[in-house]
Amino acid sequence: MSATQVVAQSVAYLSPLQLFEQADLIVKSIMVVLVLASLASWGVIIDKLLRFSRLRRNAIAWTAALSGQRSLTRLAQELRQNTGDPFARIYHAIVDEWHTSHRQHLQVDAAGRDSLKERINRVGQISSNVEVEQLQKGLSILATVGSVAPFVGLFGTVWGIMNAFQGIAASNSTSLAVVAPGIAEALFATALGLVAAIPAVVAYNRASGDLNSYAGRLSTLVGLVEVQLSRQLEAGEALVENIDTAPSKAERAARNVTPLAAQGA
C-alpha cells in the first residue's frame, strides 16, 4: 500500500474530535464559537418550549375560571397559587387600580365610572405589553444564531480551503490525500454552522408563533376581566378580591364561626 493510500485511509476515518484537533487556530476558534452558539440556542429552545406550554395551560384554566357566576372570586383564588404567571401580575395591576379609585371615591358618578373603565383598560394594555416584552427575551439569540451561524461556518470553510491550497503549494502535489484534511476541516465547520442555525431558525418561528398566540390569549383574558369589572361597577359592588388579599378557605371558615363568648351573650 502506497503512502498516499495510507494517508487517504486515515483521513477517511477521522472523527469530529480528530478534525477539530487537526484544524488550525482560526478554524478551531470558529468551531468553538459555533458549538457555544448551538448550546445557547438549545438552552433558549428548551426554556421557551416549557414556558409557553405551561403558560398555555394556565391561560386555558384562567379562561375557564372567568366563566359563570362569581368568576372574579374564583379567578383570584386560582391566581393565588400562580402568582408568578404573567396574567396574575396583569390582574394584580388592574385590581390595584380598581381599589385605588374606590379608596379615593372616583367612581361615585357616571363620569367617574367611565374614567375608571378607561383607566382599567389602559392598565391592562400596558401590563400586557410589559409581560409580552419580557417573554420576548431570548428570541434575539435564536434569530442571531439562525442568521449568523451559517456565515460563520462558511468563513471556516473558506479558511480551511485556503489551508488546503497552501498544503498543495508546499508539497508540490495535487494528490487528494494532501488536500483532504483541509477540506474535511472546512466542511466540518460548515456542518457545525448548519447544526447551530437550523434548530435556531425552526425554534424561532415556533416561539414567535407561540408568543403571538399567548399575547392573543392575554388580550382575551384582560377583556373578560374588564367586562366583569364593568358589570360589577354598574351594579355598585365595590369589593374585588386581589390575588394577595383574597382570603383562603380556612380564613373564610374562621370568619363564619361565632365565638362561644358571643353566643353566650
Side-chain angles (χ1 to χ4, degrees), residues 13 20 29 61 71 80 86 88 97 103 108 122 139-140 157 160 178 182 200 229-230 234 247 254-255:
Y13 292 102
F20 173 79
S29 301
S71 58
R80 292 181 69 188
E97 177 59 35
R103 282 195 301 268
V108 293
R122 293 197 176 189
L139 293 184
S140 59
T157 300
V178 176
L229 290 177
S230 176
E234 294 299 329
R255 292 178 184 177

Side-chain angles (χ1 to χ4, degrees), residues 117-132:
K117 293 176 186 178
E118 183 178 352
R119 287 197 302 275
I120 287 175
N121 179 265
R122 293 197 176 189
V123 168
Q125 290 180 353
I126 293 171
S127 301
S128 297
N129 292 338
V130 170
E131 294 299 334
V132 171

